[in-house]
Amino acid sequence: MTKKIPLLIDTDPGVDDALAILMAFNDADHEVVGLSIAAGNVGLEYTVRNALKLCEVAGRDDIPVFAGCDSPLVLAPREDAAHVHGRDGFGDSGFEPAAREAESEHAALAILRLSHEHAGRLLLVALGPLTNIALALKLDPTLPQRVARFVVMGGAVSAHGNITAAAEFNVAFDPEAAHVVFEAFPHFDLADWEATIAHGFHHQKAERWLQAASPRARFYDRISLQTRKWSADRRGELWHSADALAMAFALQPDGATRLAERPVQVELAGALTRGATVTDWNRQTGRPDNARILLGYDQARFEALVEAALAAG
Ligand code: BDR
Ligand code: CA
């Protein structure tokens, strides 16, 4: 039997983060070695609480949860994503907090420690603002040398943003952190918001998956209700789960049907474009291709991974 790939997830749960984490829990080839938590969708107090609760519901209290940065590196963002995920980040469904607490180690330190413990094998997946990873890089710039593969959910590669006209939420929440990370990693895989929009699934189908008798599906049905309603009102018949698509790409990269490698940089200054990811499609800057951009993923495979993650347990 081959050894499982160690998987560290940096995340700000978040309804779509939760689905992605359940997909990781259900994967036979990967072993989740930790959840490092950032502020983003909602405040850190909630994102940590949500991560702990999800582990409890999934029967995965063996996975350490590390609280990280409670605000962006430099500037406070104008808004969080509570309008999408609920004020508590998990649909305001009023669940009892988990019995367990987060570890005492800071997320940035845990990222560095785990990168040493799993040097050369670690799969690092970022599903939230990149604050913790940027801080880890500032503490130890050699981090990328020990990460075998780095997958980021973030950006909008042709500037069709979601939180602003040009910028995607995770990058716009902490553009300086995204800048630090994009400059430090010579190669990373990018699943952006535009790929998310190209890979929605029908609400009716998702509702069927959510009928599974597992505790995971029962909990997910509850915490996703509010955001599913918001999405149906706003975006119509398709439901989009950015972090789930990124996780499908992370777990099964051979499901990608179209990829493009290009230089991607983060706009820090623009009055209208702060937090936008500027993709050098024509390779005019002379910069090296740092991002492998996901343009297409096998939709049936993506949906099968989601359905199985909900039914598992
Ligand atoms: C990203 O922003 C967050 O609201 C989601 O959890 C996802 O990580 C999508 O832009
Ligand atoms: Ca997220």
Side-chain angles (χ1 to χ4, degrees):
M1 203 180 78
T2 51
K3 251 177 102 188
K4 290 186 179 189
I5 296 170
L7 166 58
L8 173 58
I9 307 172
D10 191 76
T11 172
D12 62 333
V15 174
D16 61 333
D17 300 76
L19 187 52
I21 294 166
L22 291 178
M23 290 163 72
F25 286 173
N26 191 43
D27 192 275
D29 299 326
H30 295 81
E31 181 198 352
V32 181
V33 295
L35 301 178
S36 55
I37 311 299
N41 283 319
V42 289
L44 186 71
E45 193 190 325
Y46 283 119
T47 54
V48 169
R49 179 180 180 263
N50 294 346
L52 290 164
K53 186 66 186 183
L54 187 70
C55 288
E56 184 179 271
V57 168
R60 294 306 310 265
D61 276 337
D62 56 309
I63 294 172
V65 172
F66 306 98
C69 300
D70 65 1
S71 59
L73 290 185
V74 181
L75 292 175
R78 254 172 277 163
E79 57 180 323
D80 62 15
H83 59 291
V84 182
H85 300 263
R87 282 184 306 279
D88 72 352
F90 263 8
D92 298 321
S93 64
F95 58 79
E96 279 293 303
R100 185 168 63 123
E101 290 184 3
E103 308 295 306
S104 57
E105 190 179 21
H106 191 281
L109 296 175
I111 291 168
L112 292 176
R113 179 178 54 77
L114 288 164
S115 76
H116 281 283
E117 285 175 20
H118 303 285
R121 298 196 67 238
L122 187 67
L123 169 59
L124 176 61
V125 177
L127 304 176
L130 291 157
T131 322
N132 292 333
I133 298 174
L135 181 59
L137 282 163
K138 286 292 168 193
L139 292 168
D140 181 357
T142 67
L143 170 65
Q145 296 167 20
R146 297 183 297 279
V147 175
R149 185 172 168 231
F150 180 34
V151 179
V152 176
M153 190 287 127
V157 294
S158 47
H160 290 62
N162 55 6
I163 193 74
T164 68
E168 178 279 334
F169 180 80
N170 286 342
V171 175
F173 190 89
D174 193 348
E176 279 74 20
H179 168 73
V180 167
V181 171
F182 284 18
E183 296 295 306
F185 276 85
H187 298 288
F188 56 90
D189 282 345
L190 190 66
D192 81 326
W193 177 250
E194 292 165 36
T196 306
I197 286 295
H199 293 84
F201 28 76
H202 283 269
H203 281 282
Q204 282 172 353
K205 211 183 252 187
E207 279 156 22
R208 265 205 320 277
W209 302 336
L210 288 165
Q211 294 311 308
S214 69
R216 296 179 190 193
R218 306 285 17 93
F219 183 68
Y220 201 74
D221 189 23
R222 194 169 147 196
I223 65 166
S224 63
L225 183 64
Q226 188 171 312
T227 190
R228 283 184 283 125
K229 280 195 180 135
W230 178 87
S231 170
D233 288 348
R234 233 184 121 98
R235 299 207 181 108
E237 61 181 4
L238 295 180
W239 183 30
H240 304 93
S241 187
D243 294 338
L245 179 66
M247 189 57 79
F249 182 34
L251 298 172
Q252 296 193 8
D254 59 337
T257 53
R258 275 178 65 222
L259 295 161
E261 298 201 38
R262 287 294 186 282
V264 177
Q265 287 177 279
V266 179
E267 172 61 60
L268 298 176
L272 299 175
T273 53
R274 180 170 153 78
T277 43
V278 180
T279 309
D280 184 5
W281 288 110
N282 299 323
R283 296 202 174 94
Q284 288 160 285
T285 57
R287 294 174 65 89
D289 295 344
N290 56 346
R292 187 170 70 143
I293 302 161
L294 180 70
L295 297 174
Y297 194 88
D298 180 336
Q299 182 70 19
R301 195 194 296 215
F302 175 36
E303 294 188 6
L305 285 170
V306 172
E307 183 177 8
L310 291 168

